[in-house]
Amino acid sequence: MRITMVKKRLANGNPCDKCAQTEEMLRRRGLWDQIDHVVWVIEGDDQSEGAKLGKTHGVEVAPFFILDHDDKSVSVYTSPLRLIRDHLSATQPAPVSQIVSSSMNAEEVSDVNRRFSQADPTDLVRFALERFDGRCEIALTGAEDVILLDMAAKTGLPYRAFFVDSGRMHSETHALLDDLRRHYGIEIACVLPDEDRLVSMLNEKGQNSFLQDGHAECCKIRREEPLARALQDCDAWIGLHRMGRELAASLAPEVAALDTRHRGKRGALIRFSPLANWDSNKIWSYVRKHEVPHNALYAAGYRQIGCQPCTRPIRPDQPDREGLWWWEDKLDMENGQRQTGDGI
Ligand code: SF4
């Protein structure tokens, strides 16, 4: 199922107040990433894509939601609360107790946590690679998780890694990937965004829609879907899980867990986070001690290194938030202060 939210943009370029409040409510409930697509009604422009959709579906208020179901049927909701009741809550990740992995049950996962939460993370990397024997890959989702490659190399076991390339990465990150390939003598597969979804977003909204809409839609297309696609061929994965507040907030701090967000072709996945209990001091002393290749941008003041337009260097006294999606607090505040109508 694909969910499109139709929002209204006023002639002055601002979104209508009701649309902003609805988006904020979906974000607060952790449901925003289930909205696949946003289309705008432009005030005074009855040829705007959103206005045409309103006409097609006989809707005269914004926001509203169009659901394209897998069986090709279409339904329309003008009430976000009904949408949540009928669909969004039902598509939330299943409770852990209902998830069944093809290769490890919840009791075994708890046992792994007991054994490895205070152990050397390399031991857990070794355990994961041995236990899943070629069906456990290392996911490089940012520039920080290269340390996991070093640990995998030290086990002496065969391992595979892939890199989620959003298409907006820093050139320093690509240079690091080349260094890693040379240093460890491995291939690192690049996983790219789905071309159709990306082109559709770019044609409609341009390259930098996240500056107006927030990062959710762009991240979903450029980072989350490629990661989910790459994981389909795995039974388990190893990652640092520090890229992005939403991902970080939704992940438990355990070193092993049943993955509630992704599924492999053979069932639920096991997610290993060997560095879950390491702070940045420990990570950096490992990097220095073992001379792990790392991103040149750290020396320039970056604390998180994801996509080029969404990360920036910050001073040591600034919070992480200032270095990633820093414009969104202002955007939320402005949206909350707007007082406008909601008729199309
Ligand atoms: Fe898009 Fe920024 Fe998310 Fe990268 S971090 S996918 S550029 S919103």
Side-chain angles (χ1 to χ4, degrees):
M1 180 179 66
R2 179 174 163 84
I3 304 178
T4 299
M5 179 180 182
V6 180
K7 297 170 72 178
K8 180 180 178 181
R9 180 170 283 148
L10 303 176
N12 63 9
N14 296 333
C16 82
D17 195 45
K18 194 166 177 188
C19 295
Q21 287 166 359
T22 302
E23 179 176 332
E24 189 192 339
M25 184 264 288
L26 291 171
R27 286 184 185 279
R28 263 202 323 272
R29 296 182 180 209
L31 302 170
W32 179 247
D33 66 357
Q34 294 179 51
I35 304 298
D36 297 288
H37 193 45
V38 174
V39 168
W40 290 92
V41 175
I42 309 294
E43 188 177 43
D45 179 1
D46 60 9
Q47 291 307 302
S48 58
E49 190 181 352
K52 286 186 193 165
L53 285 173
K55 246 181 236 160
T56 303
H57 295 288
V59 181
E60 295 183 341
V61 292
F64 67 95
F65 301 86
I66 303 168
L67 280 62
D68 292 295
H69 300 278
D70 295 341
D71 64 0
K72 307 287 183 212
S73 64
V74 176
S75 51
V76 176
Y77 283 77
T78 52
S79 161
L81 294 178
R82 283 200 182 161
L83 173 73
I84 291 169
R85 184 198 63 192
D86 292 355
H87 295 283
L88 297 192
S89 49
T91 55
Q92 282 286 292
V96 169
S97 58
Q98 292 178 16
I99 295 175
V100 178
S101 161
S102 60
S103 28
M104 202 182 252
N105 62 33
E107 201 176 313
E108 288 174 283
V109 172
S110 301
D111 186 50
V112 172
N113 272 296
R114 273 193 297 276
R115 285 173 59 195
F116 291 100
S117 63
Q118 299 305 319
D120 180 338
T122 305
D123 292 342
L124 179 58
V125 173
R126 180 180 292 105
F127 169 84
L129 294 175
E130 277 176 346
R131 172 65 196 261
F132 288 89
D133 190 24
R135 290 176 287 108
C136 176
E137 296 202 25
I138 299 173
L140 303 174
T141 53
E144 301 160 298
D145 28 19
V146 292
I147 199 170
L148 296 168
L149 286 185
D150 196 78
M151 290 178 168
K154 284 183 170 40
T155 66
L157 296 165
Y159 63 96
R160 288 205 308 261
F162 65 87
F163 175 69
V164 177
D165 189 337
S166 69
R168 302 293 308 262
M169 295 302 189
H170 295 269
S171 57
E172 288 84 350
T173 301
H174 288 130
L176 172 65
L177 282 172
D178 290 340
D179 282 353
L180 292 170
R181 290 183 178 105
R182 276 191 296 270
H183 189 85
Y184 295 109
I186 54 164
E187 285 183 14
I188 300 175
C190 277
V191 187
L192 298 167
D194 176 81
E195 192 178 343
D196 288 346
R197 295 184 70 182
L198 182 59
V199 168
S200 162
M201 178 180 72
L202 295 181
N203 284 346
E204 187 194 338
K205 300 178 160 188
Q207 283 280 0
N208 297 325
S209 58
F210 45 83
L211 295 175
Q212 277 81 45
D213 298 349
H215 66 274
E217 183 182 15
C218 184
C219 278
K220 189 166 187 174
I221 290 172
R222 287 187 180 276
R223 295 196 298 127
E224 294 172 25
E225 186 280 329
L227 174 63
R229 183 164 18 99
L231 291 174
Q232 284 177 358
D233 291 326
C234 302
D235 286 351
W237 61 297
I238 302 172
L240 185 57
H241 314 307
R242 283 158 56 102
M243 186 180 177
R245 287 165 300 154
E246 288 164 333
L247 284 178
S250 65
L251 295 173
E254 295 107 352
V255 295
L258 286 163
D259 187 339
T260 58
R261 292 177 68 96
H262 307 103
R263 281 190 72 78
K265 288 177 185 152
R266 291 152 49 100
L269 301 172
I270 304 298
R271 189 188 64 237
F272 293 103
S273 314
L275 304 176
N277 295 314
W278 273 23
D279 59 18
S280 61
N281 286 337
K282 273 194 170 174
I283 288 177
W284 276 104
S285 31
Y286 184 99
V287 166
R288 282 188 281 270
K289 181 174 172 193
H290 297 277
E291 299 182 342
V292 179
H294 54 277
N295 199 307
L297 291 173
Y298 286 118
Y302 282 79
R303 211 173 295 163
Q304 298 179 77
I305 305 171
C307 295
Q308 184 274 331
C310 296
T311 48
R312 65 178 180 181
I314 51 176
R315 297 187 311 273
D317 62 326
Q318 287 181 285
D320 286 357
R321 172 80 179 134
E322 292 291 316
L324 176 68
W325 303 319
W326 57 93
W327 63 90
E328 291 192 351
D329 285 343
K330 188 164 171 274
L331 206 64
D332 290 345
M333 201 172 70
E334 284 174 356
N335 286 342
Q337 287 169 352
R338 286 174 191 139
Q339 296 298 320
T340 47
D342 59 0
I344 290 178

